[in-house]
Amino acid sequence: MKTLTCITPGSMDYGEAQKPELKKDHAIIRIRRIGICGTDLHAFEGTQPFFSYPRVLGHELSGELAEADGAPGFEIGEHVTFIPYFNCGHCIACRMGKPNCCAKIAVCGVHIDGGMVEYLRVPSYSLVHGEGLSFDALALVEPLAIGAHGVRRAGIRPGEFVAVIGAGPIGLGIMEFARISGAQVIAVDINEKRLEFCRDKIKVAHTINASAENVEAALSTITNGDFPTVVIDATGSQRAINDGFRYLGHGGRYVLVGLQKGDIVVSHPEFHKREATLMSSRNATRQDFEHVIRSMKDGRIDPTNYITHRVDFEEVKEEFASWLDPKNGVIKAIVSL
């Protein structure tokens, strides 16, 4: 089968590998769509934590179930996606029902080789029914589940002001699920085209261009001086994450979905006087995947909004670097096999 491997930062190459053989309690998926996410782009840049090379990228995937063992209820040929965070089932996080942050987690395309291949073997427990959705939609379930999980962590109450910092694909998903939760969403980004996308495609009422406006003043105006009671970072930028502490209203919650390599720096008195809550949000759970699929089926989310670029598998090597350039306006690139 064909493969595409990130050899070193900035370098990718096609190759050939043996089609995986079926093992006990595993399934083989014929990959049909691959979504390109920030993790893939950061790996190509060399800025992704928890990463080593060479690595086959790709974990936003959909396809046809080709073979399966230990997968009751699934049928060969069925459209499927899967939960790409493989957990041990035994550690403290798994025992607490949090497999998304398993102490020995192996994320497909990050810790282990991923889905830029024709066939991928995955644990049968990770399979997710396609529920009649298209391959395109199913390839978008995982990134949207990241946003759904972050919103669930935040415990948003209807009517709350929620500031989402970063209007990339993950941030957009957070905005969608914050809206579904009844929040008044405020999008903050430095890219005006992305903010236009927020207004036009996902109907975010409030947007702030952090490169052209005073964010604190704008947030104060929008919230009548209260400031947001939920701030969610989806930038992965050290500066943006540190700045986000200043945007939080008293009694509020700050959720870090974005990930960066450096230290968080916060004024303890400012954080303390707010009696603020700081939490991280890692990956997603089956509950989040199912919430995304229901939201797509119910028409509350239109996955086609996100797809701005399409290429065939044979074109990925040539096109990949261009997706890093903000001038190209990439929200979500989708690869077809």
Side-chain angles (χ1 to χ4, degrees):
M1 65 176 182
K2 297 177 182 177
T3 65
L4 179 59
T5 303
C6 186
I7 307 298
T8 59
S11 173
M12 307 184 87
D13 210 356
Y14 291 100
E16 296 281 337
Q18 290 293 320
K19 177 185 171 183
E21 295 182 358
L22 185 63
K23 297 197 314 185
K24 180 177 171 56
D25 294 327
H26 282 70
I28 295 175
I29 300 172
R30 170 69 168 96
I31 302 299
R32 292 299 188 186
R33 298 289 187 276
I34 306 166
I36 305 301
C37 80
T39 298
D40 302 322
L41 297 172
H42 295 155
F44 185 78
E45 285 183 310
T47 59
Q48 177 64 29
F50 315 130
F51 207 84
S52 61
Y53 302 85
R55 178 67 67 222
V56 177
L57 306 178
H59 62 266
E60 299 180 359
L61 305 165
S62 65
E64 299 165 359
L65 186 60
E67 300 179 61
D69 177 78
F74 286 86
E75 297 183 1
I76 301 305
E78 178 180 348
H79 289 200
V80 295
T81 185
F82 71 101
I83 302 170
Y85 332 116
F86 306 146
N87 63 293
C88 73
H90 306 294
C91 73
I92 182 62
C94 291
R95 298 199 307 272
M96 291 173 63
K98 294 173 69 70
N100 55 299
C101 60
C102 168
K104 299 178 181 179
I105 201 164
V107 178
C108 186
V110 179
H111 305 100
I112 59 174
D113 284 342
M116 289 194 180
V117 294
E118 291 185 272
Y119 292 90
L120 183 68
R121 184 175 61 210
V122 303
S124 294
Y125 69 74
S126 70
L127 290 172
V128 177
H129 289 288
E131 301 285 352
L133 295 175
S134 69
F135 288 134
D136 284 351
L138 288 172
L140 287 165
V141 170
E142 191 274 341
L144 288 169
I146 298 286
H149 187 71
V151 166
R152 186 156 62 91
R153 289 279 285 155
I156 292 170
R157 296 181 288 271
E160 281 191 286
F161 281 104
V162 175
V164 180
I165 318 300
I170 299 299
L172 294 170
I174 293 168
M175 294 176 206
E176 294 261 45
F177 285 98
R179 171 182 55 78
I180 289 170
S181 296
Q184 300 186 67
V185 180
I186 308 166
V188 183
D189 201 278
I190 59 174
N191 185 322
E192 186 58 35
K193 287 185 177 180
R194 292 240 167 139
L195 293 172
E196 288 177 9
F197 186 95
C198 293
R199 293 189 292 267
D200 297 342
K201 295 292 187 180
I202 60 174
K203 308 305 179 186
V204 173
H206 307 286
T207 60
I208 300 171
N209 188 326
S211 66
E213 302 176 63
N214 182 309
V215 176
E216 289 179 79
L219 288 172
S220 180
T221 298
I222 292 168
T223 63
N224 297 314
D226 287 337
F227 286 87
T229 45
V230 176
V231 175
I232 306 179
D233 178 82
T235 66
S237 159
Q238 184 182 36
R239 178 178 176 181
I241 289 170
N242 289 338
D243 285 347
F245 286 93
R246 304 200 311 271
Y247 307 153
L248 189 62
H250 282 239
R253 291 95 70 203
Y254 189 13
V255 183
L256 302 183
V257 178
L259 177 65
Q260 51 84 36
K261 288 184 174 182
D263 295 335
I264 294 172
V265 179
V266 56
S267 165
H268 188 181
E270 289 297 318
F271 186 72
H272 196 94
K273 76 181 184 182
R274 288 168 169 80
E275 197 180 57
T277 301
L278 173 65
M279 64 186 84
S280 60
S281 177
R282 189 178 187 193
N283 300 323
T285 66
R286 183 170 293 274
Q287 178 180 346
D288 304 309
F289 275 67
E290 291 173 349
H291 182 28
V292 171
I293 289 172
R294 284 195 306 272
S295 297
M296 287 182 176
K297 291 182 68 176
D298 293 346
R300 290 181 290 175
I301 287 183
D302 182 358
T304 63
N305 279 339
Y306 292 86
I307 301 171
T308 55
H309 293 65
R310 290 181 180 275
V311 299
D312 291 330
F313 187 64
E314 294 76 13
E315 302 172 285
V316 176
K317 178 181 176 180
E318 180 180 348
E319 295 292 328
F320 201 92
S322 70
W323 298 331
L324 288 158
D325 188 343
K327 291 185 293 186
N328 291 323
V330 178
I331 299 294
K332 180 61 63 178
I334 290 284
V335 179
S336 298
L337 283 80

